[in-house]
Amino acid sequence: MDDPLSDGRAPAPEWLPPGGETGALVRGIDWDRTALGPVAQWPGSLKTVVALVLGAGFPAALLWGAELVQIYNDGFRPLLGARHPEALGRTARDSGSAGWQVHEPLCRQVMTDGDAVMLSEQVVDPSSGDSAQPLYVTNCYSPVRCEDGSVGGVLVTVIDDTPQILARRLQEASEARYQTLFDSIDEGFCIIEMIFDGHGKAVDYRFIEVNPAFGQHTGLIDVVGRRMRELVPDIEAHWYQLYGEVALTGEPVRFQRRAAMLDRWFDVYAFRYGKRDERQVAVVFSDITDEVRTEAALLAGHIRFRRLSEGLERLSRADSSAELLDELLRAAQKLVGADGITVELDNDRFRCIGRGAANGAVWERSHHPLVASLAEWAVRHCRTAVIVDVRDDDRVSPEVLEGVSKRSLVMVPVGGAIPTGAVGAYWLELHRPDDEEVAVLEVLARAAGTALARQLASDRLRQSEERFRVLVEETAQAVWEGDAAGALIIHSPSWSAYTGQSFEEMAGFGWLDAIHPDDRPRVEREWRTAVAGRRVFDTELRLHHRQGGWRWANVRAAPLVGADGEVEKWVGMNIDITDRKEAEQRAHEAALHDSLTALPNRRLIFEYAEHLLAAAGRKHSQGAFLFIDLNRFKPVNDLYGHEAGDRLLQEVACRLKAGVRKEDIVGRLGGDEFIVLLPYLEQTQEAMNIAQYVVESVSQPFVIRDAEVSVSPSIGISLFPQHGMTVDALIRAADLAMYQAKHCSRGAYCVYEPDLEHRDDVSTSVEGRLKQALAKNTFALYYQPVIDLRTGAVRGAEALLRFAGEDCDALGAGLFIPVAESSGLIGAIGEWVTAEACRQHVAWIAEGLEPVPIAINVSPVQFRQRRFVQRLADILRDGGMNPASLLLEITESAVMDNADDAAGILAAVRALGVKVVLDGFGTGCSSLAHLGSLPLDKLKIDRSFVDGIGQDSTSRAVVEAVIALGRTLGLEVVAEGIESGDAFAYLKAHGCDQGQGYFLGRPLPHDEFARLFLGKGRQS
């Protein structure tokens, strides 16, 4: 047949629609030279269908006449690939389609029978078409009838099934992976459907699904779809009762029980599967017959094997690989009478090694070469190594014995046929491990291997979900590409929409023009350095926004390296971080000022004072520090309430600012303590004049809530350079002078003198009382409830130290704690508090109460003591308290003084099982920068911000920022100092987890606290 696309084409008929590129080709064909003949002679039905095909918005083709001549539209072209355009106007057989042998019989059938047929899931491989991968389509072959009713051709319409087919195959692959995991676990698993009688009593169950291990553990086969009574008619009724309760209540159950009909013991965990009305229960079980029989045979070791069961249960319930490793270490420590335990686990996902002493779960992230070599031996040989004497065993090379204190050792491989690590025990003296000790370790190792494999699969799933979440939630504001030299070549439209730049303006290095002038030199330098070094580029900068102003963005880019090792291009993205930057700035500003009085806080005062002293040293100028403490503030606070006390502090702050010079700085150190920095004094008498004015001004009565109240200031004055040139020295000198002023007369000032170092009567008196209280055990702990703000349930208690005596109100923690710290007594007092809290917790349990976790405060001085963690472990062990029920509250300033050392101490504390609370959060320094690296469980919002919720927007901004930060880091947030219903409602509405304060409950003696808060329901 002649080529219909050759020269000499007839004019295009007017009735043909445009039809895109293919339509243009159809109009250009010389149809006289085709099997269809001249267009003028075409029947009306052919013209109509040709017009429909070319105008269709979906893939369609017409095969006409006995020769089945092809006419198709643009949508059909990808299915033809390289056969287009030669196939147009030719017979289907001549077009060279390899699949014609499949399609021709169907077309002939339609031509003959006149009925439409469909062909599903056909694979089309357009070898050189528009698509690089196969398409999956469904073809519908419909008859086209002529005017006389005969079938003149076949209309082929195509449905693209590619997305559905690919999705189904992904689902099938996922189900296959699930089935592989389902089939490979060692535990038996089944899903059963409970059967109840007319009275709602469980009488039987039907098997829905079982894994291969089910038959291995039970000996039952071909059970799916069959009833248990059919398989085992004499099965005990309690199995039905247990599973029936799970199906009806939804409460999971775990138990160990002997199946008499099988003469086997099983460890069973059952939980409801699916909806309640489906009454299905999933059962996971393992055959523990050997363990039970061993326990019965070894009657003398029954305690050890009880602990073994508990350890296995914890291993099976571990929520993460890290928790699994910790639980393995703890279980081995409890079960084996050894001097130490060693664990080494290694696979393609992670490597973790650690060692713990027998008297505490203390991790050491390294091993002696002796331990590492024996672990390697056990893994390589897949069997247990029992070393009676490491100095006389062929498996121990002399090179690893240097400095070794261990004498005997057992090392057991963890895992199945391919071990993933080893767990071992060692003795410092010569010891011959008995069969029981070896068996315990081997059981633990087997359980750990199974749990580890299962946990790793769970970890991979969680990591995949987390990656997807991050991808969705952290959507970039712009995505772009640069060439190998770093010049921008491709960008997403969102960048232009964001900055207002056109692509021409930002192409190459023009995008740098959108960067803030202050940031551009740095960013340009960092970008060129990253490109030259082929390193990841990650920076924060300000971009000009098309609506005006500047917005912060995080810009991150990475090189895409080709097979030849050379950079092909750079791929980057921008994320708008303006809200985070502004929140950090607000929190930073709030952290520098006292939320109640708006005065500079301790941190800002110290920073300013350091600059002031440095300048004074250069200019040889003099100045003064005024340390101010209010007398009778506590009685006013107790009599009129905290809100009145807060108002009084605000009024005092106003009078202090009004009573000093313009260049002087007034700040609040905390509580009722203020400080005034006086720079540039011509004469020292000026400091005394200002102090006298402050005494007279503050001593005037205040009107608070229609009541007249009076306080007086005691002021200590230190001068620089006479009394020192460091902030700490000058504040200490002023503090001593203030106590001297308080001792001499209420409402007076005193200038520091060196003799005050030897006349600190107040501190001496308090120190004596502290020593006496320690010797006679006359301290007492009061307990303040910590309440769940959502449910009202009591979630814990904070233990507060009370100093008994006639003047116990005067000897508050604010007075005796600093004395205890300076005198070196704080360690002993802190240990007394810990021991007493442990004792009381254990006592409540003995009384049959349901105690809550107890939080204790740790002084920064005690926190930094060398043996702090070891002493804490000793007290917990001696007191018998569960470490998980103890919380340590550490102030933010104590942690941030040396964040790296503090992180190590906190990690050791958490390794004991004790939880860590960061107290007074928001008042320290560099909180946001270091918080993510600290091992914490809770954040505690400082009461100064809680007090300011109803008064200023800064406090509210800080509170909301801390709550959001805690949620982001997965930490519980606790608010302290809730003194009003408004503060409670605000915190609850904004998602604060827990709270404490006089509005929720005052500190109480242990008996009153137990009576009010440890009863049923534990509701506040």
Side-chain angles (χ1 to χ4, degrees):
M1 179 179 291
D2 294 334
D3 185 355
L5 294 179
S6 62
D7 294 336
R9 301 167 181 163
E14 297 296 334
W15 50 267
L16 283 176
E21 178 185 332
T22 307
L25 293 174
V26 170
R27 288 192 296 276
I29 290 178
D30 184 1
W31 292 102
D32 294 352
R33 302 168 63 185
T34 69
L36 295 182
V39 174
Q41 298 177 9
W42 287 5
S45 55
L46 173 57
K47 295 178 181 179
T48 300
V49 177
V50 170
L52 289 174
V53 167
L54 293 178
F58 51 85
L62 173 64
L63 304 179
W64 189 263
E67 297 297 327
L68 297 176
V69 178
Q70 295 185 109
I71 301 176
Y72 50 85
N73 61 8
D74 281 351
F76 200 81
R77 284 168 47 197
L79 307 179
L80 295 171
R83 297 190 299 280
H84 172 78
E86 285 75 9
L88 191 62
R90 292 179 178 272
T91 64
R93 181 181 300 278
D94 292 339
S95 66
S97 171
W100 179 241
Q101 58 185 353
V102 176
H103 300 292
E104 182 180 18
L106 296 175
C107 292
R108 298 298 181 192
Q109 178 183 337
V110 173
M111 294 285 288
T112 303
D113 299 342
D115 295 325
V117 296
M118 296 183 70
L119 186 62
S120 301
E121 296 188 20
Q122 292 300 293
V123 180
V124 179
D125 186 7
S127 57
S128 60
D130 297 333
S131 177
Q133 60 183 5
L135 302 175
Y136 299 90
V137 300
T138 294
N139 294 336
C140 179
Y141 303 88
S142 304
V144 177
R145 298 188 181 276
C146 298
E147 287 76 353
D148 60 1
S150 64
V151 178
V154 178
L155 175 64
V156 182
T157 55
V158 181
I159 301 173
D160 186 358
D161 293 331
T162 304
Q164 295 88 337
I165 297 298
L166 294 179
R168 188 186 70 199
R169 293 190 176 184
L170 286 175
Q171 181 180 0
E172 291 172 351
S174 175
E175 291 175 351
R177 289 193 296 270
Y178 160 76
Q179 191 64 41
T180 299
L181 177 63
F182 179 75
D183 292 342
S184 63
I185 60 174
D186 294 336
E187 290 87 349
F189 179 81
C190 64
I191 298 175
I192 58 176
E193 178 186 3
M194 297 306 302
I195 300 173
F196 297 87
D197 62 13
H199 302 288
K201 179 181 179 181
V203 295
D204 203 350
Y205 54 80
R206 180 185 294 104
F207 288 97
I208 305 300
E209 187 175 1
V210 299
N211 70 340
F214 176 90
Q216 298 170 9
H217 287 303
T218 64
L220 300 176
I221 59 175
D222 297 330
V223 302
V224 175
R226 301 172 67 183
R227 295 189 177 190
M228 189 60 180
R229 288 197 182 277
E230 173 190 353
L231 297 167
V232 185
D234 298 330
I235 186 174
E236 299 91 330
H238 56 73
W239 296 96
Y240 303 128
Q241 297 170 2
L242 288 168
Y243 296 151
E245 290 179 5
V246 173
L248 292 176
T249 67
E251 292 293 330
V253 62
R254 183 172 193 127
F255 58 90
Q256 294 179 352
R257 186 153 297 188
R258 176 175 176 270
M261 69 290 185
L262 301 174
D263 192 25
R264 308 293 293 174
W265 278 84
F266 293 101
D267 179 25
V268 182
Y269 178 67
F271 56 93
R272 187 160 66 194
Y273 182 82
K275 300 179 180 178
R276 185 179 186 276
D277 55 2
E278 294 176 348
R279 296 186 175 182
Q280 293 185 1
V281 177
V283 183
V284 183
F285 64 92
S286 56
D287 189 332
I288 59 170
T289 305
D290 293 341
E291 290 89 335
V292 172
R293 290 173 179 172
T294 301
E295 182 179 4
L298 302 175
L299 183 59
H302 70 282
I303 296 178
R304 177 179 294 173
F305 281 93
R306 177 174 55 82
R307 292 178 176 175
L308 173 62
S309 177
E310 296 170 353
L312 294 174
E313 182 176 345
R314 285 193 296 272
L315 286 175
S316 67
R317 291 183 176 180
D319 291 332
S320 66
S321 299
E323 183 180 349
L324 175 67
L325 300 177
D326 281 340
E327 290 297 347
L328 177 58
L329 180 66
R330 295 175 192 277
Q333 284 174 329
K334 290 181 179 180
L335 292 166
V336 181
D339 296 317
I341 298 297
T342 176
V343 174
E344 178 166 351
L345 293 170
D346 192 355
N347 54 45
D348 60 347
R349 296 291 295 174
F350 63 85
R351 177 175 175 82
C352 184
I353 57 177
R355 179 174 64 83
N359 61 350
V362 180
W363 280 91
E364 292 181 5
R365 300 293 179 177
S366 62
H367 273 334
H368 190 278
L370 168 65
V371 174
S373 66
L374 289 177
E376 180 182 357
W377 186 95
V379 170
R380 186 170 66 252
H381 292 85
C382 298
R383 57 192 178 93
T384 301
V386 179
I387 311 294
V388 177
D389 189 349
V390 297
R391 302 172 188 173
D392 185 22
D393 195 291
D394 295 336
R395 290 166 290 186
V396 180
S397 62
E399 292 80 8
V400 300
L401 287 176
E402 183 177 353
V404 170
S405 59
K406 306 169 184 62
R407 194 63 184 274
S408 301
L409 190 143
V410 175
M411 189 68 67
V412 180
V414 173
I418 304 178
T420 56
V423 58
Y426 61 84
W427 291 260
L428 301 180
E429 302 294 335
L430 197 64
H431 175 78
R432 184 176 298 278
D434 59 32
D435 293 341
E436 183 177 325
E437 292 165 339
V438 175
V440 164
L441 283 176
E442 290 179 338
V443 171
L444 271 179
R446 285 197 300 272
T450 300
L452 180 62
R454 183 174 61 251
Q455 192 59 57
L456 284 175
S458 176
D459 284 354
R460 292 188 185 100
L461 178 59
R462 280 197 296 268
Q463 291 166 6
S464 176
E465 292 173 346
E466 180 63 14
R467 285 194 296 270
F468 179 77
R469 183 192 66 79
V470 171
L471 180 64
V472 172
E473 295 182 1
E474 299 297 330
T475 302
Q477 156 255 321
V479 179
W480 49 271
E481 292 183 9
D483 61 18
L488 186 71
I489 55 176
I490 299 175
H491 77 289
S492 62
S494 58
W495 192 338
S496 295
Y498 190 81
T499 64
Q501 285 184 305
S502 66
F503 175 71
E504 291 74 16
E505 292 173 328
M506 69 177 65
F509 294 94
W511 60 275
L512 293 169
D513 295 336
I515 299 176
H516 193 284
D518 294 343
D519 298 339
R520 175 167 177 165
R522 171 185 59 83
V523 174
E524 187 170 359
R525 184 174 60 255
E526 292 176 356
W527 175 236
R528 296 191 184 279
T529 300
V531 171
R534 310 199 325 177
R535 296 191 297 269
V536 170
F537 174 74
D538 191 355
T539 192
E540 294 180 354
L541 51 82
R542 286 166 288 180
L543 284 174
H544 185 269
H545 195 267
R546 63 182 178 84
Q547 295 180 350
W550 302 91
R551 292 187 68 82
W552 279 96
N554 172 235
V555 180
R556 183 176 177 85
L560 184 62
V561 180
D564 58 357
E566 296 299 322
V567 174
E568 294 181 349
K569 62 181 178 179
W570 288 77
V571 179
M573 66 178 180
N574 303 354
I575 298 175
D576 190 305
I577 59 172
T578 304
D579 292 342
R580 175 171 69 81
K581 280 289 188 179
E582 292 177 349
E584 289 178 359
Q585 182 63 26
R586 289 195 299 271
H588 178 71
E589 290 296 329
L592 296 177
H593 288 80
D594 174 49
S595 62
L596 178 63
T597 63
L599 294 175
N601 63 10
R602 176 185 292 270
R603 176 186 172 188
L604 184 55
I605 285 292
F606 271 61
E607 289 182 1
Y608 178 81
E610 289 175 354
H611 293 298
L612 173 63
L613 293 175
R618 292 191 300 270
K619 299 177 180 180
H620 304 288
S621 60
Q622 64 178 348
F625 282 28
L626 273 59
F627 194 105
I628 304 171
D629 182 84
L630 300 181
N631 302 307
R632 298 195 71 256
F633 172 74
K634 187 176 186 304
V636 172
N637 201 45
D638 292 342
L639 180 61
Y640 296 103
H642 290 293
E643 293 184 5
D646 291 344
R647 182 60 185 164
L648 176 59
L649 291 175
Q650 292 170 339
E651 293 293 334
V652 169
C654 292
R655 293 191 185 182
L656 289 177
K657 289 189 290 186
V660 299
R661 303 171 302 173
K662 183 178 180 180
E663 64 267 26
D664 299 335
I665 299 296
V666 179
R668 183 186 178 201
L669 296 178
D672 58 355
E673 292 180 344
F674 296 84
I675 191 169
V676 180
L677 305 185
L678 306 177
Y680 317 125
L681 295 178
E682 296 293 335
Q683 298 178 345
T684 58
Q685 182 62 41
E686 294 180 63
M688 302 175 200
N689 294 341
I690 293 174
Q692 181 60 39
Y693 183 86
V694 169
V695 169
E696 295 173 356
S697 173
V698 176
S699 297
Q700 295 298 315
F702 296 84
V703 178
I704 305 294
R705 289 186 174 178
D706 299 328
E708 188 175 274
V709 298
S710 296
V711 294
S712 62
S714 293
I715 304 177
I717 304 174
S718 61
L719 305 171
F720 60 86
Q722 296 92 318
H723 301 148
M725 283 299 288
T726 66
V727 179
D728 290 338
L730 289 167
I731 287 184
R732 183 178 182 278
D735 188 30
L736 288 174
M738 182 274 294
Y739 274 109
Q740 182 63 23
K742 188 184 290 286
H743 179 71
C744 295
S745 172
R746 303 288 182 179
Y749 69 85
C750 177
V751 180
Y752 170 78
E753 297 177 358
D755 289 347
L756 291 179
E757 299 287 349
H758 308 291
R759 288 188 284 142
D760 189 4
D761 295 334
V762 174
S763 297
T764 302
S765 174
V766 173
E767 182 178 346
R769 292 288 304 277
L770 290 172
K771 291 179 179 178
Q772 185 180 31
L774 279 172
K776 296 184 179 181
N777 196 29
T778 56
F779 283 123
L781 287 185
Y782 277 46
Y783 300 88
Q784 185 175 37
V786 177
I787 305 300
D788 188 315
L789 298 188
R790 292 183 295 272
T791 66
V794 179
R795 295 303 184 198
E798 181 176 2
L800 301 172
L801 185 63
R802 292 291 184 261
F803 198 96
E806 297 179 358
D807 57 346
C808 60
D809 289 338
L811 289 175
L815 178 59
F816 69 76
I817 291 299
V819 174
E821 290 178 338
S822 62
S823 63
L825 295 174
I826 192 64
I829 292 175
E831 291 179 7
W832 183 91
V833 170
T834 306
E836 174 61 18
C838 291
R839 185 202 64 77
Q840 186 59 63
H841 193 273
V842 172
W844 279 334
I845 294 176
E847 294 171 15
L849 300 175
E850 299 180 11
V852 294
I854 297 178
I856 61 174
N857 292 280
V858 177
S859 160
V861 175
Q862 182 187 4
F863 180 70
R864 290 191 292 269
Q865 289 179 342
R866 185 171 58 87
R867 300 186 71 251
F868 168 68
V869 177
Q870 184 58 51
R871 287 295 302 133
L872 177 64
D874 294 342
I875 292 172
L876 287 169
R877 185 191 64 246
D878 296 342
M881 181 182 183
N882 182 358
S885 297
L886 183 66
L887 295 86
L888 296 191
E889 294 195 1
I890 313 294
T891 63
E892 185 180 5
S893 59
V895 172
M896 293 307 171
D897 282 346
N898 190 330
D900 292 337
D901 290 347
I905 297 173
L906 294 179
V909 169
R910 292 190 77 204
L912 297 176
V914 177
K915 293 181 172 61
V916 178
V917 182
L918 189 62
D919 194 8
F921 180 66
T923 61
C925 38
S926 301
S927 304
L928 297 175
H930 295 283
L931 189 62
S933 62
L934 296 175
L936 303 173
D937 297 283
K938 291 186 179 183
L939 295 179
K940 200 166 192 179
I941 305 175
D942 188 73
R943 70 171 299 132
S944 62
F945 298 122
V946 176
D947 291 343
I949 284 176
Q951 301 171 5
D952 65 277
S953 59
T954 300
S955 293
R956 292 192 293 272
V958 172
V959 168
E960 293 173 18
V962 173
I963 293 173
L965 191 60
R967 186 178 298 113
T968 299
L969 297 177
L971 305 176
E972 290 185 320
V973 179
V974 186
E976 65 176 343
I978 301 177
E979 311 296 346
S980 66
D982 291 341
F984 169 79
Y986 180 88
L987 291 164
K988 180 179 180 180
H990 285 78
C992 185
D993 300 303
Q994 299 171 9
Q996 65 183 97
Y998 276 32
F999 180 77
L1000 300 174
R1002 293 175 175 268
L1004 298 170
H1006 66 86
D1007 51 350
E1008 293 185 42
F1009 179 85
R1011 178 174 56 82
L1012 292 177
F1013 296 109
L1014 299 185
K1016 293 184 177 180
R1018 300 206 301 239
Q1019 297 293 315
S1020 171

